[in-house]
Amino acid sequence: MTIMKVASFAAGQWVAPNSAARPIASAITGAQIAEAGNDQLDVQAMLDHARNVGGPALRAMGFHDRAKMLKALAMHLGQHKQALYDLSFDTGATQSDHMIDIDGGVGTVFVFASKGRREMPDGQVYIDGEIEELSRGGTFKGMHIATPLQGVAVHINAFNFPVWGMLEKLAPTLLAGVPAIVKPATASCYVTEAAVRIMLDSGILPDGALQLISGGTGDLLDRLGAQDVVSFTGSAQTASMLRSNPNILKNSVRFVAEQDSLNASILGPDVTPGSVEFDLFIKEVHREMTTKAGQKCTAIRRIIAPEGQVQNVIDALSEKLDKTVIGDPRAEGTRMGALVSAAQKRDVLEKAALIGGECARVYGDPDALPLSGDVNPDAFVAPMLFRCDAPDTATVVHETEAFGPVSTIMGYRDIPHAIALANKGEGSLVASVITASGDVAREVAMGAGAFHGRLYFNNATSMKESTGHGSPLPHMVHGGPGRAGGGEEMGGVRGVLHYMQRTAIQGSPDILTSICGRWVSGSSEVPAPAHPFTRRFHDLDIGETIHTESRRVTMDDIEHFAHFTGDTFYAHMDQAAAERNPFFPGRVAHGYLLLSFAAGLFVEPNEGPVLANTGLDNLRFMKPVEAGDSIAVRLSVKAKTRRTDEYGEVRWHVTLTNQDAELVAEYELLTMVQY
Ligand code: NAP
């Protein structure tokens, strides 16, 4: 059998392993299948290439360009999944494990592509939050922007998700406009290398945007600076060693860590055996113990059940574990494959023995492994369930992660006790609760929220569509305090901002408009050369403004609108009642009448480039309008966003003022305008 030479991709070149390479064995056969590592890798050239070539190319693009690039990348990867599945079996993973790692990874890139288009501007500057009014006269304002870091993101990943682990970091990094150097764990790096080759061969990424280190990183971390980020996933021990690198400390290099965690799942006090929710609990725990053979950072390590239910849970879970086919991950009926390596098995057995020192093993025997298929048993391990009878004084079970199919059940007296036990993990990625009780859910959220990066509630209502205790989703924050590493990844745009610098900007409205590419109120108006509704998307300038004629509002108008629409609310119809209302001087015009009049004042009626009005944002009515008052409208181009190949969205800032130039209403109008 040929040994795969797992290469690195450095400064535009594939670099084969050299004599310093480490052997990598198949988890199924135990035979060597690959080697990786090159101690002569020029990491400085890699950093230079990322900083001088990849970074500038990515920063020259806008968020939407980069989001489109991600979408193309996800589609391309999606077409090559089979090659990755084929390789991945040797990591011990089953086909359903591949769905999490490979399909899940591709899906994550799709979500970031879509969020980039929908939630980030069609430009290069991200605006974080609202404009801050810093002066009475409105000539000095503040805002927060985020711009891409000008260094490189170094992604150091764990072995268990060679594809998802890379892509969940890469997608937000590239969307931010930052190049990445990816360093997968050596045990499964041949799968990551294949995925990187697929991405690079597609030609979708600019030069220098993605590089790969297969094997050791040499002195890479000693060469990082303040514009670089390290995003690490792995064990707490490695995280603490790497984050205390003197160069990282000296340069305040951002260090995001996702590390091991003692995740818990609580069976709600309202759930009893025989109910769908009890079965749901068993299903979730069983899935977390057996998926990826328990090598999941989010797996349920501690099962927390009402004291009276502990034996029922053990019985139901044992029955389900009995039916779990363990063996060749390539075989169709196999539910649980191997650990990644024999070394990993040794580690799991060592940790399980430690847990066994303070807890009773109630299911599974490390020496009696029921295996199906023709496999080498060296990396396979039996699922093991322990029972902890003194969870308040136990320590190992709350501190030790056996990174395999190992979990411990413990009983609780009441919800505060369950919360206290869940929190004894001193920080986790996720805790779940199976309950139909809103009160229990609220108590757990308040009592345990601070200790867990994610709280997952499930019951009969949500179970069909729920995504699973152990699935980090690109939309939701992944990470956790304390033992979980104190980091945070994903969470939609939040995850993108980890690779950007937030900067407070202060200045005049015109300065702010120039910087952020969105019209800030108080900025100079750009006179429209023609009615803006006659102008095409690309011709419209930010700040382009028209002022309309004014229109007098009469009592007839109010009466007519009321009867026409059926909105005969007393403030429009009954003078005495309206006067008793603290908001109104007497009968007033309907807010929606004013909006309709405003449209009548600013629209250009003829067929033209404006295709549709798609909504209003941030509508506020500031001052009532009485019969006899007049209103006029100011319409300014606030922002433009390309949407399709034919049209884009124009966001208009609209103000209505009365005859005394007082602000009556303000909103943002959304239209689709042809290119
Ligand atoms: P690990 O041994 O800590 O290794 C993690 C990564 O660090 C690997 O890529 C490893 O590369 C690298 N590394 C080790 N020493 C290094 C050094 N001196 N310089 C640079 N890189 C170095 O963890 P693992 O065994 O791969 O993964 C299992 C652990 O990861 C478990 O504890 C699990 O809970 C945790 N995990 C956490 C999450 C999460 O999202 N929180 C997700 C998955 C896994 P080599 O392989 O080449 O040594």
Side-chain angles (χ1 to χ4, degrees), residues 157 159-160 183 185-186 233-235 238 258 260 297 401 403 478:
N157 292 322
F159 69 79
N160 55 338
K183 186 260 177 285
T186 302
T233 299
S235 62
T238 312
E258 302 297 343
D260 48 42
C297 54
E401 181 201 45
F403 201 57
H478 173 60

Side-chain angles (χ1 to χ4, degrees), residues 22 156-161 164 168-169 183-187 215-218 221 232-239 241-242 257-261 295-298 301 344 401 403 429 472 478-479 484 489:
R22 274 158 49 188
I156 301 177
N157 292 322
F159 69 79
N160 55 338
F161 288 114
W164 176 84
E168 62 101 8
K169 290 182 167 68
K183 186 260 177 285
T186 302
T217 51
L221 299 193
F232 171 85
T233 299
S235 62
Q237 202 184 358
T238 312
M241 183 212 7
L242 298 183
E258 302 297 343
Q259 58 197 44
D260 48 42
S261 115
Q295 299 166 113
K296 260 170 78 183
C297 54
T298 47
R301 303 291 172 206
Q344 186 61 22
E401 181 201 45
F403 201 57
L429 295 170
H478 173 60
E489 293 183 317

Side-chain angles (χ1 to χ4, degrees), residues 369-507:
L369 176 62
L371 267 186
S372 82
D374 181 21
V375 292
N376 178 329
D378 287 358
F380 288 84
V381 70
M384 278 175 265
L385 180 64
F386 291 87
R387 191 189 66 232
C388 177
D389 292 325
D392 296 314
T393 49
T395 52
V396 179
V397 72
H398 299 298
E399 285 170 5
T400 307
E401 181 201 45
F403 201 57
V406 181
S407 197
T408 303
I409 185 162
M410 56 197 78
Y412 72 82
R413 293 182 298 277
D414 50 22
I415 284 295
H417 188 211
I419 292 171
L421 292 177
N423 294 353
K424 265 178 165 286
E426 292 296 338
S428 90
L429 295 170
V430 51
S432 58
V433 190
I434 305 299
T435 182
S437 161
D439 289 342
V440 168
R442 187 172 189 282
E443 200 172 340
V444 173
M446 292 306 296
F451 286 75
H452 308 274
R454 179 162 62 90
L455 291 177
Y456 171 92
F457 297 94
N458 205 358
N459 58 32
T461 306
S462 50
M463 64 184 196
K464 282 213 172 68
E465 293 193 298
S466 59
T467 47
H469 161 106
S471 302
L473 299 175
H475 321 68
M476 309 299 292
V477 158
H478 173 60
R483 195 186 307 281
E488 215 182 62
E489 293 183 317
M490 302 198 293
V493 172
R494 295 171 191 88
V496 181
L497 296 178
H498 295 315
Y499 298 96
M500 305 183 79
Q501 176 63 42
R502 180 169 28 231
T503 306
I505 301 282
Q506 293 168 279

